[in-house]
Amino acid sequence: MQCLNGTVFHNTSATCDHSGVDTSEPRPATRRRRTDAKRNEGALLDAAASVFATSGVDAPVREVAAAAGVGVATLYRHFPTRSDLVVAVYRHQVDACAEAGPALLESAGSPFAAILSWIHLFVDFLGTKHGLARVWEGDPDGFTGLHVLFVERLVPVLTDMLEAARASGEVVAPITAYQLIRAVGDLVAFTPVDPDYDVRKIVTLLVSGLRQPQLEHR
Amino acid sequence: MQCLNGTVFHNTSATCDHSGVDTSEPRPATRRRRTDAKRNEGALLDAAASVFATSGVDAPVREVAAAAGVGVATLYRHFPTRSDLVVAVYRHQVDACAEAGPALLESAGSPFAAILSWIHLFVDFLGTKHGLARVWEGDPDGFTGLHVLFVERLVPVLTDMLEAARASGEVVAPITAYQLIRAVGDLVAFTPVDPDYDVRKIVTLLVSGLRQPQLEHR
DNA sequence: TTGCATAACGGAACCGTGTTCCATATCTTA
DNA sequence: TAAGATATGGAACACGGTTCCGTTATGCAA
């Protein structure tokens, strides 16, 4: 849970340890990783974090490469796809969000209250990144990198919270954690700059529905 | 409410009267509209409906132009932007949806039931069009054509229904029609081909929330 | 019916994306 | 220090929306 400053999720600065995938040292029989490669990966992550923060996650890869002072090929060598770069940049923050779940379950007044808080933590995280929609959406095949990360890290956490809330009788709707988090993601993804539209309110509305038995439709 | 066959919204065939904007005849002092222009507009709408139905709304403009047997410039002459073409294709169906509102308000058991049904009508409409997300999202300026159409035609209808449901005491959450329909649109827009994710269920959950007083968050 | 001004057209060209290629430069290791 | 694996830069490609412009077809008047 490093790499966070200020409020839990609003950091995108360049003070993290850069670990796109696995920076562990051991490289037994093979050759050691070239230092310029390591340096460039760091520069890329810093640049990406900075560029994403100012120009939005939609910023062109070329812009990131330029900011890092490298060519596009270098960027693609380290992050085979645009999506991978985004994942690398936000991985820490997703982790932090995941870890906040159990904590909230203890500190909040009730499981349901914990869920509401946690969901809003997630909303804030997504909300501060302009244009996460493109990434959230997923490619034709179905899953994009960030989506997978969200599912892997966040769904288990929310599952536990939902279970607790069901045990306490607060939540009755037959909704899975995946369905709920996916819905919240969709709601927030577009992050409209619209004064008439407050995502937080809508999300709260959605979460409120958890306390109602499922309705018939049609 | 013409241009509809089978279930209310699933039509995209080419049997409508093509009226991109205003096909009214009177052209007093000026020259009459060229017949090839009129013919091409029709061909384009037919082609677009067909292409969108098979390849999704994301289909390239070139594909539509080719299917209509015209050049891209012709397409752009009639529909200045991609978004305009989409609007023209779906206008009838949006109209039909709008007109279904008051009808449901009478036929359904209660205002709330009417809302639930109407919302699901809307969901079905969006759901049958692959990739309406791109359009729903809106361009940098804020509003894309289809978004405007939705807001203009659908929001008033839903506003009336919400008002009725508040009068009957069923709906208590302080949500506006715009907020609600926008949320539903966001939820459905991505129309995932995911077996684990049923949009209708989530939408129902959201609508359920309307019967709960607004919660505190944070 | 003919001529002409002009509305409408076709398709190449432009711009901005993500991604790939490959000749070249750089680093590791012996 | 030299060989060879690794990494790099930037041009090139594919593909999307949109625009440009020389050419064609049409409506109207004579």
Side-chain angles (χ1 to χ4, degrees), chain A residues 31 34 36 40 62 70-74 77-78:
Chain A
R31 197 175 257 212
R34 272 172 59 164
D36 56 344
N40 280 334
R62 279 176 244 266
V70 303
V72 272
T74 303
R77 164 163 290 265
H78 293 289

mmCIF file of all heavy atoms in Angstrom, chain A residues 31 34 36 40 62 70-74 77-78, chain D residues 3-14:
data_model
loop_
_atom_site.group_PDB
_atom_site.id
_atom_site.type_symbol
_atom_site.label_atom_id
_atom_site.label_comp_id
_atom_site.label_asym_id
_atom_site.label_seq_id
_atom_site.Cartn_x
_atom_site.Cartn_y
_atom_site.Cartn_z
ATOM 1 N N ARG A 31 21.205 -14.228 -18.791
ATOM 2 C CA ARG A 31 21.905 -12.956 -18.695
ATOM 3 C C ARG A 31 21.132 -11.983 -17.809
ATOM 4 O O ARG A 31 19.923 -12.089 -17.672
ATOM 5 C CB ARG A 31 22.004 -12.381 -20.104
ATOM 6 C CG ARG A 31 23.011 -11.287 -20.270
ATOM 7 C CD ARG A 31 23.075 -10.903 -21.725
ATOM 8 N NE ARG A 31 24.250 -11.468 -22.361
ATOM 9 C CZ ARG A 31 24.891 -10.874 -23.357
ATOM 10 N NH1 ARG A 31 24.448 -9.736 -23.853
ATOM 11 N NH2 ARG A 31 25.952 -11.405 -23.886
ATOM 12 N N ARG A 34 19.302 -5.779 -18.923
ATOM 13 C CA ARG A 34 20.085 -4.586 -19.247
ATOM 14 C C ARG A 34 19.599 -3.387 -18.451
ATOM 15 O O ARG A 34 18.403 -3.175 -18.259
ATOM 16 C CB ARG A 34 20.010 -4.305 -20.742
ATOM 17 C CG ARG A 34 21.077 -5.025 -21.526
ATOM 18 C CD ARG A 34 20.875 -4.907 -23.007
ATOM 19 N NE ARG A 34 20.866 -3.525 -23.478
ATOM 20 C CZ ARG A 34 21.008 -3.223 -24.772
ATOM 21 N NH1 ARG A 34 21.169 -4.190 -25.678
ATOM 22 N NH2 ARG A 34 20.981 -1.984 -25.161
ATOM 23 N N ASP A 36 19.749 -0.184 -19.120
ATOM 24 C CA ASP A 36 18.987 0.840 -19.844
ATOM 25 C C ASP A 36 17.525 0.429 -19.989
ATOM 26 O O ASP A 36 16.634 1.272 -19.946
ATOM 27 C CB ASP A 36 19.621 1.117 -21.216
ATOM 28 C CG ASP A 36 19.751 -0.147 -22.051
ATOM 29 O OD1 ASP A 36 19.645 -1.252 -21.488
ATOM 30 O OD2 ASP A 36 19.955 -0.038 -23.270
ATOM 31 N N ASN A 40 14.566 2.692 -18.697
ATOM 32 C CA ASN A 40 13.512 3.134 -19.602
ATOM 33 C C ASN A 40 12.124 2.732 -19.121
ATOM 34 O O ASN A 40 11.175 3.498 -19.255
ATOM 35 C CB ASN A 40 13.754 2.569 -21.006
ATOM 36 C CG ASN A 40 14.800 3.371 -21.753
ATOM 37 O OD1 ASN A 40 14.997 4.547 -21.484
ATOM 38 N ND2 ASN A 40 15.492 2.725 -22.675
ATOM 39 N N ARG A 62 2.227 7.804 -28.290
ATOM 40 C CA ARG A 62 3.370 8.604 -28.746
ATOM 41 C C ARG A 62 3.701 9.697 -27.755
ATOM 42 O O ARG A 62 4.868 10.022 -27.517
ATOM 43 C CB ARG A 62 3.056 9.225 -30.114
ATOM 44 C CG ARG A 62 3.272 8.268 -31.278
ATOM 45 C CD ARG A 62 2.847 8.899 -32.603
ATOM 46 N NE ARG A 62 1.727 8.192 -33.194
ATOM 47 C CZ ARG A 62 1.835 7.225 -34.096
ATOM 48 N NH1 ARG A 62 3.013 6.881 -34.532
ATOM 49 N NH2 ARG A 62 0.787 6.607 -34.562
ATOM 50 N N VAL A 70 11.788 8.384 -25.126
ATOM 51 C CA VAL A 70 12.115 7.149 -25.845
ATOM 52 C C VAL A 70 11.229 7.025 -27.082
ATOM 53 O O VAL A 70 10.289 7.781 -27.255
ATOM 54 C CB VAL A 70 11.912 5.911 -24.956
ATOM 55 C CG1 VAL A 70 12.721 6.009 -23.694
ATOM 56 C CG2 VAL A 70 10.436 5.724 -24.641
ATOM 57 N N GLY A 71 11.548 6.062 -27.914
ATOM 58 C CA GLY A 71 10.734 5.833 -29.100
ATOM 59 C C GLY A 71 9.546 4.945 -28.777
ATOM 60 O O GLY A 71 9.494 4.325 -27.714
ATOM 61 N N VAL A 72 8.611 4.866 -29.700
ATOM 62 C CA VAL A 72 7.426 4.049 -29.448
ATOM 63 C C VAL A 72 7.768 2.573 -29.329
ATOM 64 O O VAL A 72 7.165 1.855 -28.532
ATOM 65 C CB VAL A 72 6.371 4.208 -30.558
ATOM 66 C CG1 VAL A 72 5.446 5.354 -30.254
ATOM 67 C CG2 VAL A 72 7.021 4.361 -31.900
ATOM 68 N N ALA A 73 8.732 2.139 -30.094
ATOM 69 C CA ALA A 73 9.085 0.717 -30.058
ATOM 70 C C ALA A 73 9.510 0.325 -28.651
ATOM 71 O O ALA A 73 9.182 -0.759 -28.159
ATOM 72 C CB ALA A 73 10.194 0.423 -31.047
ATOM 73 N N THR A 74 10.239 1.213 -27.999
ATOM 74 C CA THR A 74 10.672 0.944 -26.636
ATOM 75 C C THR A 74 9.473 0.775 -25.721
ATOM 76 O O THR A 74 9.408 -0.145 -24.910
ATOM 77 C CB THR A 74 11.550 2.102 -26.137
ATOM 78 O OG1 THR A 74 12.647 2.238 -27.038
ATOM 79 C CG2 THR A 74 12.053 1.828 -24.747
ATOM 80 N N ARG A 77 7.974 -2.494 -26.344
ATOM 81 C CA ARG A 77 8.772 -3.614 -25.867
ATOM 82 C C ARG A 77 8.437 -3.903 -24.408
ATOM 83 O O ARG A 77 8.302 -5.040 -23.990
ATOM 84 C CB ARG A 77 10.261 -3.282 -25.997
ATOM 85 C CG ARG A 77 11.180 -4.184 -25.195
ATOM 86 C CD ARG A 77 12.592 -4.070 -25.694
ATOM 87 N NE ARG A 77 12.689 -4.674 -27.005
ATOM 88 C CZ ARG A 77 13.070 -5.936 -27.216
ATOM 89 N NH1 ARG A 77 13.375 -6.703 -26.186
ATOM 90 N NH2 ARG A 77 13.154 -6.416 -28.422
ATOM 91 N N HIS A 78 8.253 -2.831 -23.637
ATOM 92 C CA HIS A 78 7.970 -3.017 -22.219
ATOM 93 C C HIS A 78 6.503 -3.282 -21.939
ATOM 94 O O HIS A 78 6.150 -4.000 -21.013
ATOM 95 C CB HIS A 78 8.443 -1.783 -21.440
ATOM 96 C CG HIS A 78 9.920 -1.622 -21.442
ATOM 97 N ND1 HIS A 78 10.751 -2.457 -20.738
ATOM 98 C CD2 HIS A 78 10.732 -0.745 -22.084
ATOM 99 C CE1 HIS A 78 12.007 -2.095 -20.929
ATOM 100 N NE2 HIS A 78 12.018 -1.054 -21.747
ATOM 101 P P DA D 3 34.913 -9.990 -32.716
ATOM 102 O OP1 DA D 3 35.799 -10.624 -33.718
ATOM 103 O OP2 DA D 3 34.268 -8.703 -33.001
ATOM 104 O "O5'" DA D 3 33.810 -11.057 -32.281
ATOM 105 C "C5'" DA D 3 34.142 -12.038 -31.290
ATOM 106 C "C4'" DA D 3 32.880 -12.521 -30.630
ATOM 107 O "O4'" DA D 3 32.501 -11.589 -29.580
ATOM 108 C "C3'" DA D 3 31.674 -12.616 -31.562
ATOM 109 O "O3'" DA D 3 30.913 -13.753 -31.185
ATOM 110 C "C2'" DA D 3 30.935 -11.311 -31.312
ATOM 111 C "C1'" DA D 3 31.186 -11.114 -29.827
ATOM 112 N N9 DA D 3 31.141 -9.732 -29.369
ATOM 113 C C8 DA D 3 31.533 -8.606 -30.038
ATOM 114 N N7 DA D 3 31.389 -7.494 -29.360
ATOM 115 C C5 DA D 3 30.856 -7.930 -28.143
ATOM 116 C C6 DA D 3 30.481 -7.233 -26.980
ATOM 117 N N6 DA D 3 30.581 -5.918 -26.846
ATOM 118 N N1 DA D 3 29.994 -7.962 -25.967
ATOM 119 C C2 DA D 3 29.899 -9.293 -26.102
ATOM 120 N N3 DA D 3 30.225 -10.057 -27.146
ATOM 121 C C4 DA D 3 30.706 -9.297 -28.142
ATOM 122 P P DG D 4 29.903 -14.415 -32.159
ATOM 123 O OP1 DG D 4 30.157 -15.870 -32.146
ATOM 124 O OP2 DG D 4 29.914 -13.633 -33.409
ATOM 125 O "O5'" DG D 4 28.525 -14.145 -31.419
ATOM 126 C "C5'" DG D 4 28.384 -14.480 -30.047
ATOM 127 C "C4'" DG D 4 27.226 -13.705 -29.460
ATOM 128 O "O4'" DG D 4 27.608 -12.331 -29.213
ATOM 129 C "C3'" DG D 4 25.986 -13.632 -30.370
ATOM 130 O "O3'" DG D 4 24.847 -13.727 -29.535
ATOM 131 C "C2'" DG D 4 26.060 -12.224 -30.939
ATOM 132 C "C1'" DG D 4 26.556 -11.495 -29.699
ATOM 133 N N9 DG D 4 27.074 -10.158 -29.923
ATOM 134 C C8 DG D 4 27.663 -9.652 -31.060
ATOM 135 N N7 DG D 4 28.015 -8.398 -30.937
ATOM 136 C C5 DG D 4 27.629 -8.058 -29.640
ATOM 137 C C6 DG D 4 27.746 -6.826 -28.946
ATOM 138 O O6 DG D 4 28.231 -5.773 -29.329
ATOM 139 N N1 DG D 4 27.238 -6.928 -27.650
ATOM 140 C C2 DG D 4 26.675 -8.053 -27.110
ATOM 141 N N2 DG D 4 26.237 -7.974 -25.864
ATOM 142 N N3 DG D 4 26.559 -9.210 -27.747
ATOM 143 C C4 DG D 4 27.051 -9.138 -29.017
ATOM 144 P P DA D 5 23.672 -14.721 -29.956
ATOM 145 O OP1 DA D 5 24.124 -16.103 -29.774
ATOM 146 O OP2 DA D 5 23.178 -14.235 -31.257
ATOM 147 O "O5'" DA D 5 22.565 -14.389 -28.856
ATOM 148 C "C5'" DA D 5 22.897 -14.556 -27.495
ATOM 149 C "C4'" DA D 5 22.480 -13.334 -26.700
ATOM 150 O "O4'" DA D 5 23.204 -12.157 -27.156
ATOM 151 C "C3'" DA D 5 20.995 -12.990 -26.802
ATOM 152 O "O3'" DA D 5 20.545 -12.707 -25.482
ATOM 153 C "C2'" DA D 5 20.972 -11.736 -27.692
ATOM 154 C "C1'" DA D 5 22.281 -11.075 -27.301
ATOM 155 N N9 DA D 5 22.848 -10.172 -28.303
ATOM 156 C C8 DA D 5 23.181 -10.465 -29.591
ATOM 157 N N7 DA D 5 23.693 -9.453 -30.258
ATOM 158 C C5 DA D 5 23.688 -8.423 -29.341
ATOM 159 C C6 DA D 5 24.103 -7.072 -29.425
ATOM 160 N N6 DA D 5 24.634 -6.534 -30.529
ATOM 161 N N1 DA D 5 23.962 -6.306 -28.326
ATOM 162 C C2 DA D 5 23.429 -6.850 -27.224
ATOM 163 N N3 DA D 5 23.019 -8.104 -27.015
ATOM 164 C C4 DA D 5 23.174 -8.846 -28.129
ATOM 165 P P DT D 6 19.004 -12.663 -25.101
ATOM 166 O OP1 DT D 6 18.818 -13.381 -23.840
ATOM 167 O OP2 DT D 6 18.258 -13.038 -26.322
ATOM 168 O "O5'" DT D 6 18.766 -11.120 -24.815
ATOM 169 C "C5'" DT D 6 19.865 -10.263 -24.881
ATOM 170 C "C4'" DT D 6 19.490 -8.834 -24.519
ATOM 171 O "O4'" DT D 6 20.155 -7.976 -25.493
ATOM 172 C "C3'" DT D 6 18.010 -8.468 -24.598
ATOM 173 O "O3'" DT D 6 17.776 -7.539 -23.555
ATOM 174 C "C2'" DT D 6 17.862 -7.888 -25.997
ATOM 175 C "C1'" DT D 6 19.219 -7.209 -26.209
ATOM 176 N N1 DT D 6 19.700 -7.152 -27.620
ATOM 177 C C2 DT D 6 20.291 -5.973 -28.053
ATOM 178 O O2 DT D 6 20.408 -4.993 -27.346
ATOM 179 N N3 DT D 6 20.713 -6.002 -29.354
ATOM 180 C C4 DT D 6 20.625 -7.052 -30.240
ATOM 181 O O4 DT D 6 21.062 -6.934 -31.375
ATOM 182 C C5 DT D 6 20.008 -8.243 -29.716
ATOM 183 C C7 DT D 6 19.847 -9.435 -30.596
ATOM 184 C C6 DT D 6 19.569 -8.237 -28.440
ATOM 185 P P DA D 7 16.367 -6.905 -23.259
ATOM 186 O OP1 DA D 7 16.267 -6.613 -21.821
ATOM 187 O OP2 DA D 7 15.337 -7.697 -23.934
ATOM 188 O "O5'" DA D 7 16.530 -5.504 -24.022
ATOM 189 C "C5'" DA D 7 17.615 -4.671 -23.658
ATOM 190 C "C4'" DA D 7 17.570 -3.377 -24.434
ATOM 191 O "O4'" DA D 7 18.045 -3.603 -25.774
ATOM 192 C "C3'" DA D 7 16.193 -2.737 -24.573
ATOM 193 O "O3'" DA D 7 16.337 -1.360 -24.229
ATOM 194 C "C2'" DA D 7 15.818 -2.944 -26.028
ATOM 195 C "C1'" DA D 7 17.186 -2.969 -26.697
ATOM 196 N N9 DA D 7 17.271 -3.755 -27.926
ATOM 197 C C8 DA D 7 16.872 -5.053 -28.106
ATOM 198 N N7 DA D 7 17.097 -5.518 -29.316
ATOM 199 C C5 DA D 7 17.697 -4.455 -29.969
ATOM 200 C C6 DA D 7 18.191 -4.297 -31.280
ATOM 201 N N6 DA D 7 18.154 -5.269 -32.191
ATOM 202 N N1 DA D 7 18.723 -3.099 -31.612
ATOM 203 C C2 DA D 7 18.761 -2.138 -30.697
ATOM 204 N N3 DA D 7 18.344 -2.167 -29.432
ATOM 205 C C4 DA D 7 17.816 -3.371 -29.126
ATOM 206 P P DT D 8 15.101 -0.385 -24.353
ATOM 207 O OP1 DT D 8 15.243 0.580 -23.239
ATOM 208 O OP2 DT D 8 13.860 -1.131 -24.539
ATOM 209 O "O5'" DT D 8 15.461 0.358 -25.707
ATOM 210 C "C5'" DT D 8 16.727 1.015 -25.807
ATOM 211 C "C4'" DT D 8 16.861 1.657 -27.172
ATOM 212 O "O4'" DT D 8 16.974 0.635 -28.179
ATOM 213 C "C3'" DT D 8 15.665 2.521 -27.556
ATOM 214 O "O3'" DT D 8 16.091 3.846 -27.762
ATOM 215 C "C2'" DT D 8 15.119 1.880 -28.829
ATOM 216 C "C1'" DT D 8 16.304 1.063 -29.337
ATOM 217 N N1 DT D 8 15.894 -0.152 -30.068
ATOM 218 C C2 DT D 8 16.272 -0.309 -31.384
ATOM 219 O O2 DT D 8 16.937 0.515 -31.991
ATOM 220 N N3 DT D 8 15.834 -1.472 -31.964
ATOM 221 C C4 DT D 8 15.081 -2.470 -31.393
ATOM 222 O O4 DT D 8 14.758 -3.466 -32.008
ATOM 223 C C5 DT D 8 14.713 -2.238 -30.009
ATOM 224 C C7 DT D 8 13.896 -3.244 -29.277
ATOM 225 C C6 DT D 8 15.129 -1.111 -29.419
ATOM 226 P P DG D 9 15.060 4.989 -27.668
ATOM 227 O OP1 DG D 9 15.664 6.102 -26.889
ATOM 228 O OP2 DG D 9 13.764 4.434 -27.271
ATOM 229 O "O5'" DG D 9 14.990 5.430 -29.194
ATOM 230 C "C5'" DG D 9 16.189 5.775 -29.852
ATOM 231 C "C4'" DG D 9 15.929 5.994 -31.325
ATOM 232 O "O4'" DG D 9 15.677 4.718 -31.963
ATOM 233 C "C3'" DG D 9 14.734 6.886 -31.643
ATOM 234 O "O3'" DG D 9 15.120 7.750 -32.696
ATOM 235 C "C2'" DG D 9 13.650 5.899 -32.093
ATOM 236 C "C1'" DG D 9 14.454 4.750 -32.673
ATOM 237 N N9 DG D 9 13.847 3.441 -32.479
ATOM 238 C C8 DG D 9 13.191 2.986 -31.365
ATOM 239 N N7 DG D 9 12.784 1.747 -31.455
ATOM 240 C C5 DG D 9 13.202 1.348 -32.710
ATOM 241 C C6 DG D 9 13.051 0.095 -33.370
ATOM 242 O O6 DG D 9 12.515 -0.922 -32.942
ATOM 243 N N1 DG D 9 13.621 0.108 -34.644
ATOM 244 C C2 DG D 9 14.261 1.186 -35.196
ATOM 245 N N2 DG D 9 14.746 1.012 -36.417
ATOM 246 N N3 DG D 9 14.409 2.367 -34.591
ATOM 247 C C4 DG D 9 13.857 2.377 -33.354
ATOM 248 P P DG D 10 14.428 9.076 -32.960
ATOM 249 O OP1 DG D 10 15.466 10.091 -33.229
ATOM 250 O OP2 DG D 10 13.422 9.297 -31.909
ATOM 251 O "O5'" DG D 10 13.688 8.776 -34.340
ATOM 252 C "C5'" DG D 10 14.445 8.157 -35.384
ATOM 253 C "C4'" DG D 10 13.507 7.488 -36.353
ATOM 254 O "O4'" DG D 10 13.072 6.209 -35.843
ATOM 255 C "C3'" DG D 10 12.215 8.271 -36.652
ATOM 256 O "O3'" DG D 10 11.959 8.106 -38.012
ATOM 257 C "C2'" DG D 10 11.188 7.545 -35.793
ATOM 258 C "C1'" DG D 10 11.667 6.131 -36.029
ATOM 259 N N9 DG D 10 11.145 5.121 -35.141
ATOM 260 C C8 DG D 10 10.680 5.284 -33.862
ATOM 261 N N7 DG D 10 10.258 4.169 -33.325
ATOM 262 C C5 DG D 10 10.452 3.210 -34.316
ATOM 263 C C6 DG D 10 10.191 1.826 -34.314
ATOM 264 O O6 DG D 10 9.719 1.144 -33.414
ATOM 265 N N1 DG D 10 10.550 1.226 -35.529
ATOM 266 C C2 DG D 10 11.084 1.896 -36.597
ATOM 267 N N2 DG D 10 11.359 1.170 -37.679
ATOM 268 N N3 DG D 10 11.337 3.199 -36.602
ATOM 269 C C4 DG D 10 10.999 3.790 -35.433
ATOM 270 P P DA D 11 11.084 9.175 -38.814
ATOM 271 O OP1 DA D 11 11.857 10.424 -38.870
ATOM 272 O OP2 DA D 11 9.701 9.188 -38.295
ATOM 273 O "O5'" DA D 11 11.071 8.510 -40.274
ATOM 274 C "C5'" DA D 11 12.118 7.611 -40.643
ATOM 275 C "C4'" DA D 11 11.527 6.326 -41.202
ATOM 276 O "O4'" DA D 11 11.051 5.473 -40.120
ATOM 277 C "C3'" DA D 11 10.326 6.547 -42.124
ATOM 278 O "O3'" DA D 11 10.419 5.656 -43.231
ATOM 279 C "C2'" DA D 11 9.131 6.227 -41.224
ATOM 280 C "C1'" DA D 11 9.690 5.107 -40.357
ATOM 281 N N9 DA D 11 9.042 4.965 -39.057
ATOM 282 C C8 DA D 11 8.778 5.950 -38.146
ATOM 283 N N7 DA D 11 8.182 5.509 -37.065
ATOM 284 C C5 DA D 11 8.045 4.152 -37.267
ATOM 285 C C6 DA D 11 7.496 3.116 -36.495
ATOM 286 N N6 DA D 11 6.960 3.309 -35.288
ATOM 287 N N1 DA D 11 7.514 1.861 -37.006
ATOM 288 C C2 DA D 11 8.053 1.669 -38.213
ATOM 289 N N3 DA D 11 8.615 2.554 -39.036
ATOM 290 C C4 DA D 11 8.573 3.798 -38.499
ATOM 291 P P DA D 12 9.291 5.632 -44.348
ATOM 292 O OP1 DA D 12 9.979 5.260 -45.593
ATOM 293 O OP2 DA D 12 8.515 6.889 -44.255
ATOM 294 O "O5'" DA D 12 8.347 4.429 -43.910
ATOM 295 C "C5'" DA D 12 8.908 3.151 -43.687
ATOM 296 C "C4'" DA D 12 7.793 2.141 -43.493
ATOM 297 O "O4'" DA D 12 7.320 2.205 -42.122
ATOM 298 C "C3'" DA D 12 6.562 2.388 -44.372
ATOM 299 O "O3'" DA D 12 6.064 1.134 -44.800
ATOM 300 C "C2'" DA D 12 5.593 3.090 -43.434
ATOM 301 C "C1'" DA D 12 5.925 2.421 -42.110
ATOM 302 N N9 DA D 12 5.614 3.218 -40.925
ATOM 303 C C8 DA D 12 5.797 4.567 -40.756
ATOM 304 N N7 DA D 12 5.416 5.017 -39.575
ATOM 305 C C5 DA D 12 4.960 3.878 -38.928
ATOM 306 C C6 DA D 12 4.414 3.671 -37.645
ATOM 307 N N6 DA D 12 4.249 4.641 -36.756
ATOM 308 N N1 DA D 12 4.058 2.409 -37.310
ATOM 309 C C2 DA D 12 4.229 1.431 -38.215
ATOM 310 N N3 DA D 12 4.730 1.500 -39.452
ATOM 311 C C4 DA D 12 5.079 2.770 -39.747
ATOM 312 P P DC D 13 4.833 1.018 -45.785
ATOM 313 O OP1 DC D 13 5.206 0.033 -46.808
ATOM 314 O OP2 DC D 13 4.388 2.378 -46.171
ATOM 315 O "O5'" DC D 13 3.716 0.371 -44.859
ATOM 316 C "C5'" DC D 13 4.036 -0.803 -44.110
ATOM 317 C "C4'" DC D 13 2.844 -1.194 -43.249
ATOM 318 O "O4'" DC D 13 2.805 -0.361 -42.064
ATOM 319 C "C3'" DC D 13 1.498 -1.026 -43.945
ATOM 320 O "O3'" DC D 13 0.727 -2.196 -43.737
ATOM 321 C "C2'" DC D 13 0.886 0.191 -43.264
ATOM 322 C "C1'" DC D 13 1.489 0.081 -41.861
ATOM 323 N N1 DC D 13 1.526 1.370 -41.136
ATOM 324 C C2 DC D 13 1.018 1.424 -39.834
ATOM 325 O O2 DC D 13 0.552 0.398 -39.338
ATOM 326 N N3 DC D 13 1.043 2.606 -39.175
ATOM 327 C C4 DC D 13 1.556 3.675 -39.752
ATOM 328 N N4 DC D 13 1.559 4.809 -39.065
ATOM 329 C C5 DC D 13 2.084 3.643 -41.079
ATOM 330 C C6 DC D 13 2.046 2.482 -41.723
ATOM 331 P P DA D 14 -0.604 -2.420 -44.598
ATOM 332 O OP1 DA D 14 -0.588 -3.820 -45.085
ATOM 333 O OP2 DA D 14 -0.802 -1.299 -45.548
ATOM 334 O "O5'" DA D 14 -1.708 -2.313 -43.466
ATOM 335 C "C5'" DA D 14 -1.550 -3.033 -42.245
ATOM 336 C "C4'" DA D 14 -2.734 -2.719 -41.346
ATOM 337 O "O4'" DA D 14 -2.488 -1.458 -40.671
ATOM 338 C "C3'" DA D 14 -4.052 -2.543 -42.100
ATOM 339 O "O3'" DA D 14 -5.088 -3.101 -41.303
ATOM 340 C "C2'" DA D 14 -4.192 -1.039 -42.251
ATOM 341 C "C1'" DA D 14 -3.549 -0.555 -40.968
ATOM 342 N N9 DA D 14 -2.957 0.772 -41.028
ATOM 343 C C8 DA D 14 -2.265 1.345 -42.056
ATOM 344 N N7 DA D 14 -1.844 2.566 -41.811
ATOM 345 C C5 DA D 14 -2.288 2.813 -40.511
ATOM 346 C C6 DA D 14 -2.164 3.923 -39.664
ATOM 347 N N6 DA D 14 -1.537 5.047 -39.991
ATOM 348 N N1 DA D 14 -2.731 3.824 -38.445
ATOM 349 C C2 DA D 14 -3.363 2.693 -38.102
ATOM 350 N N3 DA D 14 -3.543 1.584 -38.812
ATOM 351 C C4 DA D 14 -2.970 1.715 -40.023
#
